[in-house]
Amino acid sequence: MPSYNELINQIEALKRQAEDVRRQELKSVIDEIKVSMEKYGITLSDLQSAMGRGGKKKTTVAPKYRNPAGGQTWTGRGRAPRWLADAEAKGQSRDAFLIR
């Protein structure tokens, strides 16, 4: 039975070997991708769009409501924050919190 150190050395040798094989295979895979891209006229931006990248940029929405007591804000999108829901439960109007 091999010792612990011998097994560790074997593991490291296999990792190096696997990385070498990966690099060799990676070159041929990239070459195949390049050929397909040329054949079908695919651009990098086409790939980015297909992967969901490079498309629309995220935009921020200006806050529409402000809590005068704590200064918290809410855009009016999604679920109402607790401070606004509590105020509405007490009978206050949402319009009272509008940022003007």
Side-chain angles (χ1 to χ4, degrees), residues 7 30 35-36 44 52 58 64 69 73 77 80 87 100:
L7 290 173
I30 290 173
V35 168
S36 293
L44 287 176
K58 233 182 189 181
K64 188 173 179 181
T73 59
R77 294 184 176 184
R100 298 174 202 258

Side-chain angles (χ1 to χ4, degrees), residues 30-97:
I30 290 173
D31 290 341
E32 289 174 21
I33 291 170
K34 285 179 181 178
V35 168
S36 293
M37 287 177 71
E38 285 180 24
K39 180 179 178 181
Y40 294 101
I42 299 170
T43 64
L44 287 176
S45 62
D46 294 334
L47 293 176
Q48 288 172 335
S49 295
M51 294 177 68
R53 297 183 182 135
K56 290 192 264 181
K57 303 262 182 192
K58 233 182 189 181
T59 59
T60 57
V61 178
K64 188 173 179 181
Y65 300 95
R66 181 181 316 277
N67 180 2
Q72 301 101 326
T73 59
W74 179 50
T75 62
R77 294 184 176 184
R79 186 174 173 189
R82 178 163 297 229
W83 58 265
L84 185 56
D86 290 345
E88 288 180 314
K90 292 177 184 174
Q92 290 182 298
S93 169
R94 186 174 283 196
D95 293 340
F97 298 94

Side-chain angles (χ1 to χ4, degrees), residues 9-37:
N9 290 337
Q10 288 177 1
I11 290 170
E12 292 304 319
L14 285 171
K15 283 182 180 179
R16 285 190 299 274
Q17 184 181 355
E19 184 58 30
D20 290 343
V21 170
R22 180 188 162 280
R23 272 193 234 113
Q24 291 170 358
E25 289 180 6
L26 188 62
K27 185 183 178 332
S28 67
V29 169
I30 290 173
D31 290 341
E32 289 174 21
I33 291 170
K34 285 179 181 178
V35 168
S36 293
M37 287 177 71

